[in-house]
Amino acid sequence: MAEVETVKNKQVLLKDYVTGFPKESDMIISTENTISLKVPENSNGVLVKNLYLSCDPFLRSLMQKPKPNSKSVFPGFKPGSPIHGYGVAKVVDSGHPKFKKGDLVWGMTGWEEYSLIQQADSLFKIEHTDVPLSYYTGILGMPGITAYGGFYEVCHPKKGEKVYVSAASGAVGQLVGQFAKLMGCYVVGSAGSKEKVDLLKNKFGFDDAFNYKEEHDLDAALKRHFPEGIDIYFENVGGKMLDAVLLNMNMFGRIAACGMISQYNLDEPEGVKNLIVVIPKKLNIRGFTASDYFSLYPKFLDLVLPHIREKKITYVEDIAEGIESVPAALIGLFSGRNVGKQIVVVARE
Amino acid sequence: MAEVETVKNKQVLLKDYVTGFPKESDMIISTENTISLKVPENSNGVLVKNLYLSCDPFLRSLMQKPKPNSKSVFPGFKPGSPIHGYGVAKVVDSGHPKFKKGDLVWGMTGWEEYSLIQQADSLFKIEHTDVPLSYYTGILGMPGITAYGGFYEVCHPKKGEKVYVSAASGAVGQLVGQFAKLMGCYVVGSAGSKEKVDLLKNKFGFDDAFNYKEEHDLDAALKRHFPEGIDIYFENVGGKMLDAVLLNMNMFGRIAACGMISQYNLDEPEGVKNLIVVIPKKLNIRGFTASDYFSLYPKFLDLVLPHIREKKITYVEDIAEGIESVPAALIGLFSGRNVGKQIVVVARE
């Protein structure tokens, strides 16, 4: 039997299940693993070199001890094992007919230097490389499809409608706002710093924006920005913000919910008190995740790639260097330290 | 000028705006009004004799002082003025081309012996009188369209799906359960007494039913009745029940909300804590009211009238006699005293 090349494989391990606000020390950078750069015989997996890792708020839900009967889309992290999430990677060896050595892919991967991905069917092959490769963690990856599916398919927007986006400078929000402007909507975003508010107004073209941390009365802030009410709310936050939004929704308004980041680190979630208005206002609240719209990925690319090339859509990334920066980058999402889509570069090629 | 006949007109007046749990003494029976039995000249209103009044939980929201900027479908009641709601009535005089003397109608009317209805366009003419006339306050009226629109148009049910109905023996719930059985669904209802639970199981053909007042753990009760989870929840209750239901919904489940009776008498609504599950479970919560589906009324009658005549659908009414019984009948809804659809008979013809 030929000798198989193995290499050292730096990994990000979960130290123990997380409760409350996650800390950098909940993860460990381990240098103890080695990995073969060949897929096992008779495997249809692919062996990849990870390039860009996508820090996303939903990963918080995978850090905690799974509840009995919980129905999660993704398996939770296991203490002592590498964490996983979306990323961009290069195929080093393939047992899968769809992929060959040298292909670039994006999808779920281990958060380590090299990964053997057994469910290679779930990977997307990257066909367009005239745009930054890192975009496949964001505008051209899971957050992009989230914004696209949520805005067009869930919200059914019409020209002139009033759109509110929370966490608006984040990976999904910045794109939703730009889609809304392309559609001819009036769009206001909220974020947690002056720098982010400036980005919303001056870079992403939102009609207006506000810093929610400076508003002691969110209901009043929304009434100021939406004197005619809100038709579409793109929900990334939950909790008190959702309660204030419900009071300002118009008849037959739509709320697309793909995240509630304000709630992820609470042991007991905040109660939403104004839910009853869904009846007289005939509101539609729909939860969704990007995977519901993966089948629309080619259609999505047809829409968004020309806009990127023509600079009609822009995208802001917050790039951390080196796998060692994963814990700080991931935890930073929950204090809003990132400005734009948070990415970690493991390797550039 | 010819002398115009006027008659004494007994009325139910709101005494003062209601806070908290409404009381019979919040309403007064007044005998001071008189009314002309002719519509004024050049009016396109109709003058009706009220026959059956429909006691519905939503009327509670019209009893309180309107909040600024509240967007209600119906105008609230005014202290010292007669209350209004759905009812069945006979046309005594008409200035409207659609109606003539002797016609039977249902729709919004004053809660008094005779009413001058200015917005006669909103009335439905009753064409089928081989079924009980009182049915046009319930199964063939607003609650019927609520059940029909909510179940078929909001929930998009499929054969074999698991359906849960709260307040299931009420005006809307009993019909939703029977629609679900006709569709081939598995349906469980909850209600607040043994008598109501027996009705659900033995008269309306629910697969199972439980008394929510005997369950200290609603989540456990739902897990017992829905070991495979809930696909469709027809929401009439809100609050703690909704929180327990959210934990038991299946992926892509639908929640049709037309009422949250548990919340109507609270100054501060209960918070719904488990709303975040709408995201991983991709739930759709939609608020609606009967009026959204009024345009489907002919289609609804085509479906439901044959079922009534063939006794494939049954309907239980709780009939109070005389306009003097309005306060007790209306208040009884909120303690669940009624068994089936609560009606008050003002006159039988």
Side-chain angles (χ1 to χ4, degrees):
Chain A
M1 211 172 115
E3 205 161 300
V4 175
E5 186 191 3
T6 64
V7 296
K8 279 188 172 285
N9 186 29
K10 215 177 275 184
Q11 298 179 309
V12 185
L13 309 181
L14 182 70
K15 193 171 166 190
D16 202 356
Y17 288 125
V18 173
T19 56
F21 208 95
K23 305 177 298 296
E24 291 185 35
S25 60
D26 291 326
M27 287 162 273
I28 303 167
I29 307 297
S30 165
T31 56
E32 293 186 11
N33 185 258
T34 58
I35 188 169
S36 157
L37 293 186
K38 292 279 174 200
V39 296
E41 275 186 57
N42 301 320
S43 160
N44 66 353
V46 294
L47 195 292
V48 300
K49 180 181 184 185
N50 292 308
L51 304 179
Y52 297 93
L53 301 177
S54 173
C55 296
D56 296 301
F58 85 90
L59 296 175
R60 172 63 184 82
S61 65
L62 308 184
M63 291 181 160
Q64 63 213 19
K65 194 168 183 175
K67 288 178 189 150
N69 304 317
S70 81
K71 290 166 180 164
S72 180
V73 183
F74 299 114
F77 302 154
K78 288 194 177 57
S81 292
I83 68 174
H84 49 264
Y86 285 96
V88 169
K90 189 174 205 165
V91 176
V92 175
D93 189 32
S94 173
H96 193 285
K98 203 171 115 189
F99 303 103
K100 63 178 193 305
K101 184 176 172 176
D103 279 351
L104 292 162
V105 296
W106 74 266
M108 283 299 265
T109 187
W111 284 27
E112 53 196 345
E113 289 175 300
Y114 295 91
S115 295
L116 174 63
I117 300 175
Q118 302 281 12
Q119 279 85 36
D121 275 328
S122 71
L123 295 172
F124 292 81
K125 196 186 283 192
I126 294 174
E127 312 274 8
H128 307 274
T129 53
D130 60 319
V131 291
L133 202 49
S134 59
Y135 274 17
Y136 290 92
T137 65
I139 184 170
L140 296 175
M142 182 276 286
I145 305 176
T146 303
Y148 176 80
F151 186 63
Y152 293 104
E153 301 291 321
V154 176
C155 294
H156 304 291
K158 290 187 284 290
K159 188 177 171 179
E161 286 196 312
K162 314 290 183 285
V163 177
Y164 173 53
V165 186
S166 57
S169 70
V172 176
Q174 53 176 296
L175 200 45
V176 173
Q178 293 179 83
F179 284 153
K181 286 313 300 172
L182 287 171
M183 172 65 73
C185 297
Y186 171 82
V187 59
V188 176
S190 60
S193 74
K194 184 179 181 309
E195 180 185 8
K196 293 177 183 178
V197 167
D198 287 345
L199 268 183
L200 293 177
K201 291 201 272 197
N202 303 321
K203 190 160 181 88
F204 303 131
F206 283 58
D207 293 287
D208 210 343
F210 66 93
N211 180 349
Y212 71 90
K213 290 181 181 170
E214 289 179 351
E215 302 289 346
H216 70 281
D217 182 343
L218 291 172
D219 177 36
L222 290 171
K223 286 197 165 45
R224 204 167 68 235
H225 288 285
F226 293 97
E228 295 171 40
I230 299 168
D231 299 304
I232 290 174
Y233 173 45
F234 204 98
E235 163 70 300
N236 295 306
V237 164
K240 290 183 183 65
M241 181 63 88
L242 177 55
D243 250 338
V245 168
L246 284 166
L247 296 176
N248 289 280
M249 290 299 291
N250 286 335
M251 292 286 275
F252 297 104
R254 290 131 276 156
I255 297 179
C258 63
M260 294 192 180
I261 195 170
S262 74
Q263 304 298 296
Y264 295 168
N265 303 315
L266 305 177
D267 289 336
E268 175 88 346
E270 288 178 289
V272 176
K273 292 187 173 169
N274 298 322
L275 198 61
I276 197 166
V277 305
V278 302
I279 300 170
K281 294 184 177 184
K282 298 114 187 286
L283 303 183
N284 193 356
I285 302 178
R286 186 183 282 190
F288 70 100
T289 61
S291 60
D292 304 343
Y293 300 103
F294 278 174
S295 63
L296 301 179
Y297 189 60
K299 197 175 152 196
F300 162 70
L301 286 184
D302 287 348
L303 173 85
V304 82
L305 276 170
H307 285 315
I308 293 173
R309 290 174 184 135
E310 294 161 22
K311 301 195 192 310
K312 285 187 185 161
I313 287 186
T314 186
Y315 201 67
V316 170
E317 300 175 320
D318 193 329
I319 300 179
E321 294 287 336
I323 195 166
E324 294 79 2
S325 64
V326 162
L330 194 49
I331 300 314
L333 293 176
F334 301 101
S335 58
R337 200 176 58 186
N338 58 307
V339 177
K341 167 65 191 172
Q342 180 68 58
I343 302 165
V344 173
V345 188
V346 182
R348 290 194 190 269
E349 61 179 322
Chain B
M1 209 170 116
E3 203 161 302
V4 175
E5 184 192 5
T6 63
V7 296
K8 280 191 173 281
N9 187 29
K10 215 178 277 185
Q11 298 181 309
V12 185
L13 310 182
L14 182 71
K15 192 170 168 190
D16 202 356
Y17 288 126
V18 174
T19 56
F21 208 96
K23 304 176 298 296
E24 291 185 35
S25 60
D26 291 326
M27 287 162 274
I28 303 168
I29 307 297
S30 165
T31 55
E32 293 185 14
N33 185 258
T34 58
I35 188 168
S36 156
L37 293 185
K38 293 278 172 203
V39 296
E41 274 186 58
N42 302 320
S43 160
N44 65 353
V46 294
L47 194 294
V48 300
K49 179 180 183 188
N50 292 306
L51 304 179
Y52 297 92
L53 302 178
S54 173
C55 296
D56 296 301
F58 85 91
L59 296 174
R60 171 65 184 82
S61 66
L62 308 183
M63 291 182 160
Q64 64 213 20
K65 195 168 184 176
K67 288 178 188 149
N69 303 316
S70 80
K71 291 167 180 163
S72 181
V73 182
F74 300 112
F77 303 152
K78 287 195 178 57
S81 292
I83 67 173
H84 48 264
Y86 285 97
V88 169
K90 190 173 205 165
V91 176
V92 175
D93 189 33
S94 174
H96 194 285
K98 203 172 115 188
F99 302 103
K100 63 177 193 305
K101 183 175 172 176
D103 280 350
L104 293 163
V105 296
W106 74 266
M108 282 301 263
T109 188
W111 283 26
E112 51 195 347
E113 290 175 300
Y114 296 91
S115 296
L116 175 63
I117 300 175
Q118 302 280 12
Q119 280 84 37
D121 275 328
S122 70
L123 295 173
F124 292 81
K125 195 184 290 192
I126 294 175
E127 312 274 8
H128 306 275
T129 53
D130 60 319
V131 291
L133 201 50
S134 59
Y135 275 17
Y136 291 92
T137 65
I139 185 170
L140 296 175
M142 182 278 284
I145 306 176
T146 303
Y148 176 80
F151 186 64
Y152 292 105
E153 301 291 322
V154 175
C155 294
H156 304 291
K158 290 186 284 292
K159 187 178 171 180
E161 285 195 313
K162 314 291 183 282
V163 178
Y164 174 53
V165 186
S166 56
S169 69
V172 176
Q174 54 176 299
L175 200 44
V176 173
Q178 292 180 83
F179 284 154
K181 285 313 300 173
L182 287 171
M183 171 65 73
C185 297
Y186 171 82
V187 58
V188 176
S190 59
S193 73
K194 183 178 181 308
E195 180 186 7
K196 293 177 184 180
V197 167
D198 287 347
L199 269 182
L200 294 176
K201 290 201 274 195
N202 302 322
K203 190 160 181 86
F204 303 131
F206 283 56
D207 292 287
D208 211 342
F210 64 94
N211 180 349
Y212 72 90
K213 290 182 181 169
E214 289 181 351
E215 302 288 345
H216 70 281
D217 182 343
L218 291 172
D219 177 34
L222 291 171
K223 286 195 166 46
R224 205 168 67 234
H225 288 285
F226 293 97
E228 294 171 41
I230 299 168
D231 299 304
I232 289 173
Y233 174 45
F234 204 98
E235 164 69 301
N236 295 306
V237 164
K240 290 184 183 67
M241 182 63 88
L242 176 55
D243 250 338
V245 168
L246 285 165
L247 296 176
N248 288 281
M249 290 298 291
N250 287 335
M251 292 286 275
F252 296 105
R254 288 133 277 155
I255 297 179
C258 63
M260 295 192 180
I261 196 170
S262 74
Q263 305 298 294
Y264 295 167
N265 302 316
L266 305 177
D267 290 336
E268 174 88 347
E270 289 179 289
V272 176
K273 292 187 172 170
N274 298 322
L275 198 60
I276 198 167
V277 305
V278 302
I279 301 170
K281 293 184 177 184
K282 299 116 189 283
L283 303 183
N284 194 355
I285 301 178
R286 185 183 283 190
F288 70 101
T289 61
S291 59
D292 304 342
Y293 301 102
F294 278 174
S295 64
L296 300 180
Y297 190 59
K299 197 176 151 195
F300 162 70
L301 286 183
D302 286 347
L303 174 84
V304 83
L305 275 170
H307 284 316
I308 293 173
R309 291 176 182 134
E310 294 162 23
K311 300 194 192 312
K312 285 186 185 163
I313 287 185
T314 186
Y315 201 67
V316 170
E317 300 175 321
D318 193 328
I319 300 179
E321 294 287 337
I323 195 167
E324 294 79 1
S325 63
V326 162
L330 193 50
I331 300 315
L333 293 176
F334 301 101
S335 57
R337 200 176 56 186
N338 58 306
V339 177
K341 167 65 191 170
Q342 180 68 58
I343 302 165
V344 173
V345 188
V346 181
R348 290 194 190 269
E349 59 180 323

